[in-house]
Amino acid sequence: MLSRFQRGPRAPRLVLGLFALALAAGCVASDVPPAPAPAAAARADAPAAKEKRIEAAPAAKPAAKASDVERVLALSFEDNRVQEHLRYLSKEIGPRLTGSKRYDRAAEWCRQQLAAWGLDARLEKWGEFPVAFDRGPSHGRIVAPVQQDLVFLTAAWTPGTNGPVRAAAVLEPQDEAGLDALKGKLAGAWFVRRSPRPEGKLRRAIDDACEAEGVAGFVSSARGELLVMAGNHTVKLDKLPKHVRVTLRVDQHKALVERLVQGEPVELEFDVKNEFAPGPVPCFNVVADLRGTEKPDEYVVVGGHLDSWDGAEGAQDNGTGVSTALEAARLLTAAGVQPKRTIRFVLFGGEEQGLFGSEAYVKDHEDLLAKTSVALIHDGGGTPLQGIAPDYRMFPDFEAVFAPLRASKTPFEFTVREVDALSNSGDSDHAPFLRAGVPAFFWEQSEDGYERVHHTQYDTFETVDPKSQEHSARVVAVAALGFANLDHLIDRGALQDQKPAPRRRMGVQLDGAKVTEVTPDGKAEKAGLQAGDLVLAIDGRTVKSQGEVVAELQRGGPKKTFRVQRGTAEVEVVLDYTGDSGELERAERARRKAEWLEAHPRPPPAK
Ligand SMILES: [Zn+2]
């Protein structure tokens, strides 16, 4: 999943242009062991074959003196198995495309694990996909004039080659004359498209010729080194895409085109095992409850999506989020905790195609939403969970819930960051909950290195740091227990302010906290800010980065006093937003906040 910190509108998840993939020398997830898929089991009521040995329920409860959370924390340091779960998901099962045998196998395995730990675990059907799609091992290589393995992808829900196809490579012409020269030579050839391709009439003529003569398939260039997987799940069995579409890593595509431009007779061989099967394919979420003792009909939802794209192992998107949920469930049951509220672990399907599993969950469990205190979604990769952003109404509760974690010797910092309004980036399974009025959170974590693995050929188990995963499983376990044991549901007053107040803008370019450019007629120019000014503080609060300047600008009243370093002097300028659109909304929210804090005085911060 694209990280929410990029905030850019995500490329639409549904049909992301057709790409194709298989790693050099047959790496894409090897053949599927014939374990009966749970859907098949569910469909055929056949008894599910036992997967990896499922541990028995944990031994007797440890000494009574330690509190529930202390026992959970202790266990999370002594015996943390999050990486075992991730290794099994990534290596034994592999990528889990919704509607594939691997997804079904993973769903059943997770259900069996959760059940073995004593949870009430089941598969909940949320819908169907028209066609099943499974990948087998795929290879591609140049076979003449040299031997070279190729790194490529084929998009999900696109055809394979039905065995190895060896054929001449033909380079896309650049003019009509070139096309005429190719007529009669396209049948069965691997058609190498240029990057960029010719446009307009010529492109149509080329496509028509390829169609008419029947090329073996198309070989195009990826944008770069990363092979970003995608695909269109809405294909129909009677109208499947016809052509094999190979997307080659950019450097290999460039070299191939160069050979062909030099007139070298190149032969390529691709063996792509992409398999379709008739639908409708039932699609499931995995749902498992650790039932509450005092308020069993009140819920804390914990989880993330189980499905992944199938370009590698789906380790960081989202094996990491699934394995922390599994380990949290195991730690809580192994520690023998008895939560007041029910802790519900949900592993969603269909997330990559459009949050289908979580949208359906929220719809199908509408009756439970009012009593769902929070939903916590882990889907930001393998970096440690390091924060969460409640609003001022929720802040004291969150501080209380995470205090034991922050007092523990966990190796990573964890911050409860107070915000004025919950933000809904819409890009993961927390979004449907927020839209339905349930306080839902996407854990905050650094996205260093995430772009390299996100939906790419590099999303493998080896890229995940065990220490950060163990920490993240600990965070999820402590959070689930903490929220389940609060004596009240989390205040959802914040949900009325979901739409963030219109942002204040300065009308400058910033490099860090330095003004590099001032837009004519902008707020800053009117106030007297100049290019070269280094912003030191806003309303007396020190700022050091662009993010801090922008965040500080949104706080408080409409008159913002900037203290800046200008040459050797320090000067003050005031940017005044009084009367601007959004300021009324801001003032109203600030009034509501002041009123609320007055009515709910905070306990003095713990020493
Ligand atoms: Zn994701």
Side-chain angles (χ1 to χ4, degrees):
M1 164 142 314
L2 271 176
S3 151
R4 47 205 304 259
F5 296 102
Q6 284 167 313
R7 295 260 179 254
R10 170 188 308 260
R13 288 194 196 134
L14 290 180
V15 184
L16 277 180
L18 289 185
F19 298 96
L21 174 140
L23 297 174
C27 47
V28 172
S30 60
D31 48 15
V32 179
R43 279 196 292 273
D45 301 320
K50 274 264 168 274
E51 282 275 357
K52 166 184 157 194
R53 183 188 58 73
I54 310 290
E55 308 110 12
K61 281 200 182 65
K65 75 179 181 331
S67 71
D68 280 4
V69 71
E70 284 164 345
R71 289 200 309 278
V72 170
L73 280 166
L75 207 55
S76 78
F77 286 106
E78 291 150 19
D79 176 19
N80 196 315
R81 301 184 193 166
V82 66
Q83 284 296 92
E84 271 186 46
H85 311 322
L86 181 60
R87 196 198 63 73
Y88 198 85
L89 277 169
S90 312
K91 295 293 182 191
E92 301 299 327
I93 298 178
R96 304 161 299 279
L97 189 73
T98 300
S100 71
K101 292 191 187 84
R102 282 197 178 87
Y103 180 88
D104 292 346
R105 201 176 145 214
E108 178 58 14
W109 178 71
C110 291
R111 188 196 67 74
Q112 288 178 7
Q113 295 285 46
L114 291 157
W117 298 327
L119 287 87
D120 164 15
R122 59 217 177 261
L123 302 182
E124 283 189 1
K125 186 179 171 187
W126 55 257
E128 295 170 339
F129 268 13
V131 167
F133 179 80
D134 289 285
R135 280 186 201 274
S138 295
H139 304 276
R141 59 198 176 109
I142 296 179
V143 287
V146 294
Q147 296 273 335
Q148 183 200 357
D149 284 332
L150 295 172
V151 181
F152 65 97
L153 64 73
T154 57
W157 296 284
T158 63
T161 58
N162 199 7
V165 174
R166 175 175 177 153
V170 171
L171 182 58
E172 182 161 38
Q174 290 178 306
D175 51 36
E176 297 285 347
L179 179 56
D180 290 344
L182 278 182
K183 291 261 167 72
K185 296 187 185 122
L186 296 172
W190 285 110
F191 190 79
V192 180
R193 285 178 164 164
R194 289 178 188 264
S195 178
R197 295 194 62 199
E199 296 288 342
K201 206 163 126 287
L202 177 57
R203 179 190 289 205
R204 283 193 298 282
I206 292 169
D207 292 348
D208 293 348
C210 288
E211 193 66 33
E213 296 194 29
V215 295
F218 298 100
V219 180
S220 307
S221 175
R223 285 213 193 103
E225 182 216 349
L226 300 181
L227 299 167
V228 181
M229 178 56 76
N232 169 15
H233 70 282
T234 62
V235 293
K236 299 272 180 303
L237 201 65
D238 57 359
K239 236 165 130 273
L240 290 174
K242 248 176 31 193
H243 294 295
V244 179
R245 294 173 186 279
V246 166
T247 299
L248 212 47
R249 202 176 60 196
V250 69
D251 58 320
Q252 293 191 331
H253 182 270
K254 268 206 184 84
L256 174 59
V257 168
E258 195 44 45
R259 281 184 188 282
L260 294 167
V261 166
Q262 297 304 324
E264 284 186 39
V266 178
E267 276 197 45
L268 302 175
E269 181 183 84
F270 289 100
D271 180 1
V272 178
K273 288 191 183 56
N274 291 356
E275 289 152 16
F276 293 101
V281 185
C283 300
F284 303 88
N285 292 333
V286 182
V287 178
D289 291 337
L290 180 53
R291 294 203 67 73
T293 51
E294 291 172 26
K295 308 168 191 237
D297 61 340
E298 293 187 7
Y299 293 83
V300 170
V301 169
V302 167
H305 69 92
L306 175 61
D307 69 298
S308 76
W309 283 110
D310 55 354
E313 301 168 358
Q316 293 207 38
D317 195 9
N318 183 33
T320 40
V322 170
S323 52
T324 55
L326 291 175
E327 182 57 8
R330 194 193 70 81
L331 288 170
L332 292 169
T333 49
V337 306
Q338 308 268 321
K340 290 183 184 160
R341 288 183 184 82
T342 296
I343 300 174
R344 171 166 285 184
F345 297 86
V346 188
L347 307 175
F348 302 98
E351 191 273 350
E352 296 291 5
Q353 286 75 38
L355 308 183
F356 292 151
S358 50
E359 293 281 10
Y361 176 90
V362 162
K363 207 160 110 283
D364 298 345
H365 295 282
E366 204 174 353
D367 57 327
L368 304 182
L369 300 182
K371 289 197 169 181
T372 299
S373 188
V374 288
L376 306 169
I377 300 297
H378 183 188
D379 180 22
T383 53
L385 303 186
Q386 293 203 265
I388 194 163
D391 90 321
Y392 58 86
R393 299 173 187 86
M394 306 165 176
F395 184 75
D397 287 332
F398 279 61
E399 287 264 276
V401 163
F402 291 101
L405 174 82
R406 298 170 67 195
S408 80
K409 55 181 188 316
T410 197
F412 299 97
E413 284 234 344
F414 189 89
T415 308
V416 177
R417 188 170 63 86
E418 182 184 335
V419 293
D420 284 347
L422 299 190
S423 71
N424 187 352
S425 55
D427 58 1
S428 188
D429 296 308
H430 61 303
F433 287 90
L434 276 170
R435 281 196 289 274
V438 176
F441 299 87
F442 189 102
W443 295 105
E444 299 196 334
Q445 49 191 132
S446 153
E447 63 163 39
D448 290 354
Y450 193 53
E451 181 119 14
R452 185 169 171 74
V453 298
H454 192 238
H455 301 174
T456 75
Q457 71 267 42
Y458 297 120
D459 189 4
T460 62
F461 175 73
E462 291 74 15
T463 65
V464 178
D465 164 34
K467 275 275 158 280
S468 93
Q469 268 292 94
E470 288 164 8
H471 161 85
S472 298
R474 187 175 300 128
V475 171
V476 173
V478 167
L481 183 62
F483 287 115
N485 284 346
L486 283 177
D487 56 18
H488 52 262
L489 293 169
I490 286 294
D491 185 304
R492 44 183 72 190
L495 280 296
Q496 63 187 309
D497 297 339
Q498 272 197 62
K499 224 159 90 4
R503 296 175 76 74
R504 289 176 179 146
R505 301 184 182 286
M506 292 169 66
V508 298
Q509 291 297 324
L510 284 171
D511 173 8
K514 188 165 199 162
V515 177
T516 54
E517 205 184 304
V518 178
T519 319
D521 300 328
K523 198 64 80 175
E525 191 198 50
K526 287 194 190 109
L529 266 187
Q530 297 172 4
D533 286 351
L534 175 65
V535 183
L536 303 171
I538 298 174
D539 294 347
R541 298 160 80 96
T542 305
V543 291
K544 288 199 176 65
S545 70
Q546 178 172 349
E548 285 174 8
V549 169
V550 173
E552 202 49 54
L553 186 66
Q554 312 308 323
R555 299 169 73 98
K559 283 202 166 92
K560 315 306 303 168
T561 303
F562 280 59
R563 184 159 52 80
V564 302
Q565 180 82 42
R566 182 173 297 166
T568 55
E570 279 191 19
V571 296
E572 279 200 351
V573 296
V574 177
L575 276 65
D576 188 354
Y577 293 85
T578 308
D580 283 18
S581 73
E583 289 305 318
L584 276 180
E585 169 70 20
R586 267 173 207 284
E588 170 51 20
R589 287 186 189 195
R591 186 195 60 71
R592 273 208 302 266
K593 181 176 179 180
E595 199 177 79
W596 195 90
L597 289 173
E598 199 183 326
H600 305 80
R602 293 235 170 117
K607 292 224 167 27

